[in-house]
Amino acid sequence: MHTPPRSYFTKDIGLTGISRGRQQRFTRKVLLQVEVLKERETVHCGVVTNRQYFTVWRDASLEESFKVQHRVGLVAPEIAAKAKERET
C-alpha cells in the first residue's frame, strides 16, 4: 500500500545574539552576519513526528543588526545552547 511522503517544514525561531563579519566578494565591504535558530518539523500523515533545532548564519537586515547590538528580542540562551549541543 502506498504511504504518503514525509514533509519537512523549516521556520525561524529567532536570533541567538551571536554575530560576525564577512567581506563581500567584489566590493570588499564588511557585512554583518547573525546566527539564527531554526526549527525543522517532520510531518507524516498530518502528524508532527520529529522536531529538530539547529543554527545557521545569514546576512543581517538593519532590524536584526539593531536587535543584536542592543540585545533585544533574542531567543532564550537555554534554547540556543540545546540546539548547539545537538549539532556537535
Side-chain angles (χ1 to χ4, degrees), residues 11-77:
K11 63 180 178 179
D12 290 351
I13 301 297
L15 300 173
T16 62
I18 300 172
S19 62
R20 69 181 182 189
R22 75 166 180 92
Q23 286 187 337
Q24 279 186 331
R25 184 168 287 171
F26 297 113
T27 62
R28 294 292 186 208
K29 289 184 178 180
V30 177
L31 294 175
L32 180 70
Q33 287 190 321
V34 292
E35 190 177 36
V36 180
L37 181 66
K38 292 189 171 239
E39 176 187 45
R40 181 179 181 201
E41 288 183 346
T42 304
V43 179
H44 186 68
C45 297
V47 178
V48 177
T49 57
N50 190 12
R51 280 197 174 97
Q52 294 176 333
Y53 296 93
F54 58 96
T55 58
V56 295
W57 290 94
R58 72 169 181 218
D59 292 345
S61 66
L62 184 62
E63 179 184 354
E64 290 171 341
S65 64
F66 283 129
K67 284 182 178 181
V68 170
Q69 181 181 7
H70 297 292
R71 312 294 283 169
V72 176
L74 304 176
V75 174

